[in-house]
Amino acid sequence: MTGPYVAGVDDGRTPPVTGAFVAGVDGGGTRTRVLLLARDGATGGRAEGPAALVRPDRPAPAARVVADTVRRAAEEAGVALPLPALWAGLAGAGRREVRRALEAALRDEQVARTVRVGTDVEAAFHDAFGGAPGIVVVAGTGSVLLGVGEDGRRLQVGGWGAVMGDEGSGYQIGVSALRTIAAAADGRGPSTALTAAVLDHLSLDRPRSLPVWAESATKAEIAALAPLVIRTARSGDAAASTVVRSALDALGDQLSAAIHNLFSSGAPPPVALAGGLIAPDGPLRSDLERLASSAGGRLLPRAVVPQRGAARLALTLPD
């Protein structure tokens, strides 16, 4: 692959349109997506990269993933770097000191002149509602909910991370499935089709092989078990059904808490769904649609594109 377009170098590609595009980034636990957006609303290059895992003590690796993915999007569009602005919504970037460290690391990458870092749920919310009231539920590798009430009050529910939270996420479903398999192997729980399904999926021969795999697996690799667990539940396996039902109950509790605390007028608040589990083609989409309705919400019918929301936030930044 050739390098990014550099102003002044004639390589036969379309000349850059300096200053016309900004970058929006959605970085979750599984992948990083970038969208270039022009100030007139036209979209430019797109690119996808690996997870931008945020570590407060080492911001450089996450910043490098973001920057490399932006470079590939710029190359696709034939756009010169640095861009005027970049807004990156990254899972795990909720604390102010973490954001500042990531912003400094991204400035060092020199892919944009103005850089801001927020969270992936903020990017999703902006794409769904802009500055209007509403609730966005994100359930993918991790899980979190962000709501803004009619009076402007803002509430985050969940988003506590893998140790304290992530209820209803792919990671939580994967971990619960592994624990269910362990309980079945010990005789502490019922036998389950999850055992054969997961072992076959991972090419392992026995349940006692799972701890070695799990100890070295990434959060995304454990979350990748979730679709298999959901399929096993829908085939009628009682133990898998319990795992999935627990995840749905947790997401329903988060949504009910947000509606109760932010919306008291009685009018159904708009609810948007994002993340691999509950996106329009996600395996739990129809379940979350029913939960949103039963909790008193009004479903936003269109897909939420967090990187587009991030790009629109980038358009608000000074050049």
Side-chain angles (χ1 to χ4, degrees):
M1 180 181 291
T2 57
Y5 187 95
V6 179
V9 176
D10 182 11
D11 62 359
R13 285 183 287 168
T14 305
V17 185
T18 304
F21 289 96
V22 298
V25 181
D26 171 40
T30 301
R31 61 182 63 86
T32 299
R33 293 188 174 105
V34 169
L35 171 68
L36 301 188
L37 188 67
R39 294 190 182 275
D40 64 2
T43 58
R46 304 170 187 264
E48 185 172 305
L53 298 174
V54 174
R55 287 188 52 177
D57 57 330
R58 292 182 61 216
R64 192 170 304 116
V65 169
V66 170
D68 288 346
T69 312
V70 170
R71 291 184 182 106
R72 288 193 287 108
E75 180 181 22
E76 177 188 306
V79 174
L81 298 177
L83 301 172
L86 177 152
W87 202 99
L90 305 178
R95 300 203 310 272
R96 180 179 299 177
E97 61 271 23
V98 175
R99 296 184 188 210
R100 287 177 175 171
L102 285 163
E103 286 170 355
L106 278 169
R107 283 193 292 270
D108 289 342
E109 293 285 345
Q110 299 182 354
V111 292
R113 291 190 290 275
T114 301
V115 173
R116 292 291 184 275
V117 171
T119 62
D120 53 345
V121 70
E122 290 173 306
F125 186 95
H126 195 77
D127 185 64
F129 304 114
I135 296 170
V136 63
V137 183
V138 177
T141 302
S143 67
V144 63
L145 178 152
L146 179 63
V148 175
E150 293 172 343
D151 58 0
R153 285 184 300 129
R154 174 185 170 116
L155 175 68
Q156 178 175 307
V157 181
W160 294 95
V163 175
M164 293 179 61
D166 275 345
E167 298 93 337
S169 69
Y171 176 77
Q172 182 258 340
I173 290 173
V175 168
S176 295
L178 293 172
R179 290 174 175 167
T180 297
I181 292 168
D186 286 347
R188 296 179 287 116
S191 62
T192 171
L194 282 172
T195 303
V198 170
L199 290 176
D200 181 66
H201 176 74
L202 298 175
S203 299
L204 298 175
D205 59 351
R206 58 195 180 97
R208 284 288 175 182
S209 300
L210 284 169
V212 175
W213 175 83
E215 286 166 7
S216 62
T218 65
K219 187 176 179 181
E221 288 170 335
I222 292 175
L225 297 175
L228 175 64
V229 178
I230 294 166
R231 288 196 300 271
T232 305
R234 288 178 177 161
S235 72
D237 184 77
S241 296
T242 298
V243 170
V244 174
R245 187 165 54 250
S246 176
L248 290 171
D249 287 347
L251 293 173
D253 288 346
Q254 292 178 4
L255 184 55
S256 295
I259 292 175
H260 174 76
N261 284 287
L262 289 176
F263 296 92
S264 57
S265 65
V271 176
L273 307 179
L277 289 180
I278 59 175
D281 58 348
L284 294 181
R285 174 73 178 202
S286 60
D287 300 275
L288 260 293
E289 289 177 351
R290 288 192 292 270
L291 280 175
S293 177
S294 63
R298 172 172 51 86
L299 189 72
L300 187 75
R302 64 177 179 83
V304 177
V305 184
Q307 62 270 30
R308 183 173 60 197
R312 289 171 176 166
L313 284 165
L315 288 171
T316 70
L317 299 176
D319 183 355

